[in-house]
Amino acid sequence: MPQNFEVFTRLNSETKNLFSLIQKAGPITKNHLSHLTGLKLSTLIRYMQPLEEMGLIIQSSIGDSTGGRKPALFDVNKYKYFIVGVDLSRTYTKLVITNLKMDILAERQFPMDKSSSPEKTIDLISELIGSTANYLKIDPKKLIGIGIGTVGPLNRSSGVMINPANFEAPGWSNVPFKAMLADKTGLPVIIDNGANAAVLAETLFGAGKGLKDVVYLNCGIGIRTGVISSGTIVRTINDAEDAFGHMVIDVDGEACICGNFGCIETYSSIVSIMKRFVLEIRKGKKTGISKQPVTINYVDICNAAEHNDDLSKEIISKAAAILGTGLANFINLLNPTLVILSGPLVNHSKIFYNTCTYVAMQKCYIKKTKKNIFMRSGKFNENAIAVGAAVLFIENCLNSSILGY
Ligand SMILES: [Zn+2]
């Protein structure tokens, strides 16, 4: 008897494609499916049969009639199988459990600190999967796999995290995270960078549904980007998600952790905003933030900027303008129909979002069309990476070409 997580391996590619279509377009009639796929109704019914027999799709409701008998609508069975999506970052780990329609059924998270070694993180994820499935009254056998969206660089196929920067705990170099988590949980694991996961979720199930060219930026401790171009994820070297963040914007600029000078991240990340703030205070600049300088964090600076604190406003605006300049280059190159900006800096600062998008618009060619392609936070907002990781898993099961493997 095959394991539940092998459920999709038994299906042929036509049937997998049909499942994918029903998942994204359902509830849907067989006639509509036949029209979308170009398959004859008899062929369509043959390909659909295994999906119905395995309980992967069900007749969900009855559609509107154009005269005569009302047609049956088919959709993915929301109760048959479930997926775990994990957003593993430098400051927290978030976990969601979704059904195969990619609805979030529960979300949980824990902080990542000095003690968060790979081993401890894996133990916590594993415990959380068990307790969350229990809370949802889901039989653990119905969990078909785990997707992880994490920080690059990584070797996607071997599942090794190479040397991610800014993890507080030691031990994160050359970690075979995929194999370790698969060993611990007994479930298959897929790993990719978190920004790729997020852009996948937004493009297939969120704000960019139906679009083929979507850019996703997550502005936080680093600047993380995921891009779908002509319907396929753009694959960077070592699946790094900070390739855009390390675009050189000033050849004579400040030294960056990557070894270059003047990268976008050197000006526009939380780390660089904090550094700049401390530097300006040391130089004697005044701020209205009534806290000890050492206890001031980026949220204080974002809030103070919104309340017209000159120094905070200046620093946030400068950081956003530099990001916007890089973004204009990126937009000219990729011609996206949607650019989603998200992450802590965007969520905490309207000034950051407004300045960045204004500058990007001014400096790129699309200003002539006056079309607004920007969106704050997307549909999934803070859950985009975790949901995207679950999407990554199912798309992998379906051998979807969007993954760009
Ligand atoms: Zn750099």
Side-chain angles (χ1 to χ4, degrees):
M1 178 73 184
Q3 298 284 323
N4 279 336
F5 56 72
E6 288 170 344
V7 65
F8 287 96
T9 59
R10 286 173 270 159
L11 302 175
N12 66 28
S13 61
E14 289 84 358
T15 301
K16 282 180 185 171
N17 289 342
L18 263 179
F19 177 85
S20 181
L21 196 57
I22 295 167
Q23 184 198 34
K24 278 131 199 151
I28 188 166
T29 64
K30 284 182 178 169
N31 275 333
H32 193 180
L33 277 170
S34 159
H35 174 73
L36 288 177
T37 54
L39 292 171
K40 273 197 240 158
L41 208 52
S42 55
T43 315
L44 178 92
I45 288 166
R46 197 171 74 238
Y47 288 149
M48 265 174 81
Q49 203 178 358
L51 297 176
E52 291 183 81
E53 283 170 3
M54 291 161 72
L56 284 166
I57 61 166
I58 48 163
Q59 186 180 318
S60 65
S61 53
I62 302 293
D64 290 330
S65 168
T66 50
R69 227 176 92 200
K70 290 183 176 179
L73 289 165
F74 290 85
D75 206 348
V76 164
N77 184 347
K78 293 182 175 182
Y79 307 100
K80 184 72 179 173
Y81 295 114
F82 304 89
I83 306 172
V84 180
V86 179
D87 169 6
L88 173 67
S89 86
R90 295 137 167 154
T91 51
Y92 64 86
T93 290
K94 177 179 269 190
L95 180 149
V96 297
I97 290 186
T98 73
N99 56 26
L100 295 190
K101 193 75 181 166
M102 309 324 293
D103 301 316
I104 301 171
L105 306 178
E107 56 171 279
R108 301 282 185 271
Q109 91 175 53
F110 57 85
M112 297 287 282
D113 55 28
K114 286 191 184 86
S115 71
S116 304
S117 64
E119 293 75 15
K120 184 181 165 190
T121 305
I122 285 195
D123 286 348
L124 284 174
I125 291 173
S126 177
E127 278 171 37
L128 217 47
I129 291 172
S131 62
T132 311
N134 191 33
Y135 163 81
L136 291 170
K137 299 190 167 53
I138 289 174
D139 178 353
K141 287 193 192 108
K142 290 185 165 191
L143 293 171
I144 59 169
I146 304 171
I148 302 173
T150 187
V151 184
L154 50 95
N155 183 323
R156 187 169 21 89
S157 53
S158 67
V160 172
M161 293 174 69
I162 299 171
N163 52 352
N166 295 326
F167 271 77
E168 267 195 75
W172 282 94
S173 280
N174 292 311
V175 177
F177 202 82
K178 174 176 159 171
M180 286 165 75
L181 189 59
D183 273 358
K184 181 81 188 179
T185 59
L187 288 169
V189 178
I190 295 293
I191 193 165
D192 206 326
N193 91 44
N196 282 349
V199 76
L200 197 63
E202 292 289 357
T203 305
L204 295 180
F205 298 94
K209 203 167 173 180
L211 302 179
K212 289 194 172 312
D213 299 279
V214 179
V215 167
Y216 170 90
L217 273 91
N218 189 296
C219 311
I221 290 182
I223 307 291
R224 309 166 72 183
T225 50
V227 177
I228 287 182
S229 182
S230 304
T232 308
I233 291 179
V234 174
R235 291 286 171 192
T236 55
I237 295 167
N238 280 339
D239 285 294
E241 57 186 353
D242 57 359
F244 168 77
H246 292 285
M247 181 190 281
V248 175
I249 204 94
D250 177 2
V251 281
D252 298 316
E254 292 175 28
C256 179
I257 47 164
C258 74
N260 275 338
F261 291 84
C263 301
I264 293 173
E265 257 196 43
T266 328
Y267 305 97
S268 308
S269 64
I270 287 177
V271 177
S272 48
I273 286 172
M274 295 289 298
K275 253 193 210 163
R276 182 138 319 206
F277 192 84
V278 170
L279 199 72
E280 295 297 330
I281 293 283
R282 277 199 198 130
K283 282 192 205 160
K285 286 244 175 107
K286 298 280 177 260
T287 171
I289 302 174
S290 54
K291 280 172 91 172
Q292 286 295 318
V294 282
T295 63
I296 293 174
N297 62 31
Y298 79 95
V299 180
D300 300 322
I301 302 171
C302 289
N303 290 340
E306 302 294 320
H307 291 98
N308 279 321
D309 177 55
D310 284 339
L311 179 62
S312 304
K313 222 166 137 182
E314 185 191 314
I315 288 172
I316 293 282
S317 305
K318 176 93 189 292
I322 290 173
L323 181 64
T325 305
L327 193 51
N329 297 334
F330 213 38
I331 289 168
N332 284 340
L333 202 65
L334 295 161
N335 192 17
T337 32
L338 177 68
V339 177
I340 298 167
L341 282 99
S342 70
L345 281 173
V346 172
N347 288 337
H348 287 288
S349 175
K350 255 191 211 155
I351 294 176
F352 186 88
Y353 174 78
N354 289 343
T355 309
C356 175
T357 52
Y358 176 79
V359 171
M361 201 67 174
Q362 288 303 307
K363 294 192 176 183
C364 77
Y365 306 146
I366 52 156
K367 70 178 170 201
K368 292 182 191 117
T369 68
K370 293 200 168 74
K371 215 167 71 186
N372 182 23
I373 57 167
F374 300 103
M375 184 175 183
R376 192 174 176 196
S377 303
K379 176 187 170 186
F380 294 112
N381 200 356
E382 288 166 357
N383 287 329
I385 295 175
V387 180
V391 176
L392 200 69
F393 182 82
I394 185 87
E395 289 300 302
N396 204 79
C397 292
L398 297 169
N399 302 113
S400 169
S401 62
I402 198 170
L403 298 173
Y405 293 166

